[in-house]
Amino acid sequence: MESEPTAELIRAQLRRLRLSADLTQEDFGKLVHFSGSQVSAIELGQRPFDRLFLKRADEVLKSDGLLSGLLRIAELHGQPNWLRPWLDAERNARQLRCYHPTLIPGLLQTEHYARAVIQSDDMLSDEEVERRLAVRMDRQATLAQPSPPALIAVIEETTLRRADESFRSIMAQQIGHLLEYVKRGGVLVHLIPAEATVHVGHAGPITLARGVEGEWLGHLENQVGGTTIDRDEQIDTLLVRWEGVRSVALPKGQSEVLMKEVMESWSTI
């Protein structure tokens, strides 16, 4: 999905880079597997562009990811107002704490798992599914920064086991992805075993970010949006509830053993 006026900027930069490379629309089209008329339509705003086209254009024009980067900015700016403060906090955090009673935290989701989760909303068009997926994958760049935030995630064992046979390979890949993050360091994953009793986390997701100066922000999601929490008394409540959730989770080593056990169960034919 394109967002004006950023889409106009992207089209202008595309044309500038193409002309600087001394390429006609026809010549450029051949290099990115488009016809010259298709390239013309994109530059004139008569045809939409997508991530794959801009990726190819960046490679052909040697623009160091400029066009794809502009699209990512447009997508993030296209997020609803209630989410933007949290995206900034997430990106600049020194520590992140995430718990969801039924899902893998978004920053740790594989592309296949994330797509399946997003597609579960029947109200979304295919285009909107792919847009939301792209934004979610881009947000994961937070963990690939030179000095990424330390991430602590608490996940329910039942979340890893909640899938039918058609979801087997996706879940096996997802658990392997979690284990790889843990192996690399900087990410801790604690599982709450299936036999655990009812706990405070069942009331809803908890996500917290600690900034560079030690300040905390919280984020609470619901069916129609979300809220960024910054009032001291509310943050204190979330921190206490986070400790309540983590207290019923297994230690790091036992969590890794359990994740491997569940992954093997999904990998078994």
Side-chain angles (χ1 to χ4, degrees), residues 36-49:
S37 61
Q38 288 174 321
V39 172
S40 176
I42 288 174
E43 290 185 354
L44 292 172
Q46 299 168 348
R47 176 190 174 106
F49 48 76

Side-chain angles (χ1 to χ4, degrees), residues 48-68:
F49 48 76
D50 59 20
R51 299 175 68 82
L52 180 58
F53 171 80
L54 294 181
K55 182 175 183 295
R56 288 173 176 166
D58 277 327
E59 293 169 351
V60 168
L61 299 171
K62 297 180 174 56
S63 53
D64 196 27
L66 171 64
L67 300 174
S68 297

